[in-house]
């Protein structure tokens, strides 16, 4: 049986048959490095935190992991990084948000950073050695798997990018990492599911079934990553300065963002 919690690493799995069904047991490492033990009895999963602490799996593990990660990444909180303009764009999969962000950066004549550009910046400025394996670099900069070391490393890279000059940064919980910065502009892009399905099928040439699966998978990963780091709700309008429906089209969304940013300097 798989443990339904992505931010942990399973260590082992044992199984023994009983007259009433099966017991599955194993251990998992939480974000604080401590082992969490789980027990499945007849396909019901429980979390064992100690001799007298047993909880149904689901809500409790997420709460525990969030607490643990928040303790680990306390270094990214309550710290003003720069007075530069940083436009942090979060988006649902299929909104074409990366391309919109690129157009905004071009229109405003500022730097653009997506995950690939962030990786390149980190390698160029010595945050990670280019001698590291491709798997390691992928896990640190391109994956949304929740890893305590990559979260801290990525936050330090984003801070350094922000210090270099005005820029647009896509995703990576940038709006939270730089939340104390006075000129930070936080944007969330969304769209109706049908619009996003059509976009994904158009851009990636996916079938309807594959497009739907990738949308759900990507949105789930982005939501989990953001919420573990920030303890806030991904997509909640109260966390952003602008929330925009991308069915208006790339050009219109780009113009709204650029006009909003320009109005802040008046």
């Amino acid at each position: 049986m798989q443990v339904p919690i992505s931010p942990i690493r399973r260590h082992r799995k044992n199984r023994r048959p009983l007259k009433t069904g099966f017991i599955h047991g194993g251990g998992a490492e939480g974000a604080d490095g401590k082992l969490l033990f789980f027990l499945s009895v007849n396909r019901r999963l429980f979390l064992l935190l100690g001799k007298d602490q047993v909880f149904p799996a689901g809500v409790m593990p997420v709460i525990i992991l969030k607490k643990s990660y928040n303790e680990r990444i306390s270094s990214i909180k309550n710290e003003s990084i720069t007075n530069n303009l940083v436009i942090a764009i979060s988006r649902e999969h299929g909104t074409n948000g990366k391309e919109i962000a690129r157009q905004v950066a071009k229109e405003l004549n500022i730097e653009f950073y997506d995950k690939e550009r962030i990786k390149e910046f980190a390698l160029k400025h010595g945050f990670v050695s280019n001698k590291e394996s491709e798997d390691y670099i992928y896990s640190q900069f391109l994956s949304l798997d929740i890893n305590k070391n990559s979260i801290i490393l990525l936050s330090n890279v984003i801070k350094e990018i922000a210090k270099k000059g005005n820029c647009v940064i896509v995703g990576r919980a940038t709006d939270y990492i730089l939340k104390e910065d006075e000129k930070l502009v936080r944007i969330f892009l969304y769209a109706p599911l049908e619009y996003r399905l059509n976009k994904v099928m158009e851009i990636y040439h996916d079938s309807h079934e594959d497009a739907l699966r990738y949308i759900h998978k990507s949105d789930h990963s982005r939501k989990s990553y953001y919420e573990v780091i920030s303890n806030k709700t991904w997509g909640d309008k109260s966390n952003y300065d602008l929330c925009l429906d991308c069915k208006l089209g790339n050009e219109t969304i780009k113009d709204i963002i650029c006009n909003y940013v320009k109005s802040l300097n008046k």
Side-chain angles (χ1 to χ4, degrees):
M1 174 181 242
Q2 297 288 330
V3 183
I5 316 166
S6 59
I8 58 179
R9 184 169 67 252
R10 297 196 305 124
H11 284 273
R12 60 184 177 275
K13 179 173 68 175
N14 297 311
R15 170 183 301 191
R16 65 184 177 89
L18 295 178
K19 290 181 180 179
T20 55
F22 285 89
I23 289 182
H24 306 261
E29 184 181 339
D32 57 1
K34 295 180 181 178
L35 281 178
L36 306 175
F37 293 93
F38 60 87
L39 179 69
S40 176
V41 181
N42 292 333
R43 299 189 179 186
R44 291 193 63 194
L45 190 64
F46 297 86
L47 182 72
L48 283 67
L49 300 182
K51 181 178 178 182
D52 301 313
Q53 294 179 292
V54 179
F55 298 94
V59 177
M60 272 312 289
V62 173
I63 294 172
I64 293 163
L65 288 166
K66 277 188 178 182
K67 180 177 183 296
S68 180
Y69 272 102
N70 284 336
E71 290 170 355
R72 281 282 187 169
I73 62 172
S74 60
S75 62
I76 71 173
K77 296 182 179 180
N78 301 322
E79 180 183 9
S80 180
I81 303 303
T82 180
N83 199 37
N84 292 326
L85 167 69
V86 178
I87 304 173
I89 297 183
S90 303
R91 78 285 188 216
E92 292 181 332
H93 187 61
T95 55
N96 211 12
K98 185 188 295 187
E99 181 56 31
I100 291 171
R102 197 189 313 273
Q103 292 174 10
V104 168
K106 182 177 180 180
E107 175 76 16
L108 297 175
N109 195 28
I110 60 179
E111 293 294 325
F112 164 80
Y113 291 93
D114 61 0
K115 61 184 180 182
E116 291 286 352
R117 289 289 309 279
I118 291 171
K119 180 197 73 174
E120 292 169 7
F121 182 95
L123 288 168
K124 180 179 178 180
H125 290 84
F127 283 92
V128 64
S129 171
N130 55 17
K131 295 181 181 179
E132 294 286 358
S133 69
E134 289 185 11
D135 286 345
Y136 176 79
I137 292 175
Y138 179 89
S139 70
Q140 299 302 298
F141 298 104
L142 304 180
S143 171
L144 282 179
D145 290 343
I146 302 169
N147 175 295
K148 57 181 178 288
N149 295 323
S150 68
I151 287 172
I152 295 171
L153 173 60
L154 195 55
S155 70
N156 289 333
V157 175
I158 287 172
K159 289 175 186 179
E160 192 62 29
I161 287 172
K163 291 176 184 176
K164 293 291 184 182
N166 299 339
C167 61
V168 176
I169 304 178
V170 178
R172 272 30 197 181
T174 298
D175 61 284
Y176 183 75
I177 292 169
L178 301 178
K179 61 185 172 60
E180 298 297 329
D181 290 0
E182 185 177 344
K183 291 188 177 179
L184 174 68
V185 177
R186 307 161 302 165
I187 295 171
F188 188 83
L189 304 179
Y190 65 95
L193 179 58
E194 195 61 34
Y195 175 91
R196 295 192 287 143
L197 281 168
N198 290 333
K199 275 293 180 185
V200 171
M201 289 188 289
E202 173 191 335
I203 295 170
Y204 300 106
H205 307 292
D206 288 335
S207 67
H208 186 279
E209 182 181 355
D210 286 342
L212 183 61
R213 183 170 68 252
Y214 288 135
I215 284 173
H216 288 324
K217 180 180 179 181
S218 181
D219 283 354
H220 175 74
S221 296
R222 292 172 185 178
K223 176 181 172 69
S224 298
Y225 186 89
Y226 181 83
E227 293 184 359
V228 165
I229 292 176
S230 68
N231 207 26
K232 295 178 179 290
T233 302
W234 182 72
D236 184 337
K237 64 182 180 180
S238 64
N239 297 328
Y240 308 95
D241 301 301
L242 288 177
C243 292
L244 301 171
D245 187 341
C246 289
K247 71 181 180 183
L248 294 173
N250 287 11
E251 190 71 18
T252 300
I253 297 297
K254 182 261 294 180
D255 289 343
I256 291 173
I257 294 172
C258 290
N259 289 336
Y260 175 78
V261 170
K262 291 173 184 176
S263 74
L264 297 176
N265 297 321
K266 291 181 179 179

